[in-house]
Amino acid sequence: AGSAEFSPHLVPDVEDAIIFMPEGDRARMGGTMRLGARATRLAPGSAAAALYGAGEVWERHRHRYEVNPAFVPRLEAAGLRFVGRNADGNGERMEV
């Protein structure tokens, strides 16, 4: 597995564990990152939920790359816990 940030010609959903955010624009980089707070639902019993003291948090995330959702089941099977899920169903938050 690799990152599309460093190797743009990876086989989709096979080698590209990190992908350019789908709504991004590679040609126009200024002002194209996700902006504004987004709701994230935290798994009960997770360290994230304990630290926030809540089951849902609103945070702002600025990035151009994200974990490829096609890799999430394999990463979870290997022991990485995705304990935060976007309330709108787009993307993931993960606790390592």
Side-chain angles (χ1 to χ4, degrees), residues 78-93:
L80 185 64
R81 294 181 61 212
F82 284 77
V83 299
R85 307 280 178 172
N86 279 11
D88 63 9
N90 295 323
E92 307 288 344
R93 306 287 183 261

Side-chain angles (χ1 to χ4, degrees), residues 12-83:
D13 296 339
V14 175
E15 299 176 326
D16 60 345
I18 306 298
I19 60 173
F20 192 78
M21 65 182 199
E23 67 271 29
D25 183 344
R26 290 180 188 266
R28 190 177 60 87
M29 294 299 241
T32 60
M33 290 191 284
R34 291 183 183 141
L35 301 174
R38 294 177 183 257
T40 300
R41 294 193 180 119
L42 304 173
S46 66
L51 289 168
Y52 281 105
E56 183 174 290
V57 295
W58 284 80
E59 289 190 341
R60 179 178 177 188
H61 298 272
R62 288 183 59 103
H63 55 80
R64 296 188 192 284
Y65 292 88
E66 64 188 18
V67 173
N68 182 344
F71 273 74
V72 171
R74 288 182 268 174
L75 293 170
E76 288 181 322
L80 185 64
R81 294 181 61 212
F82 284 77
V83 299

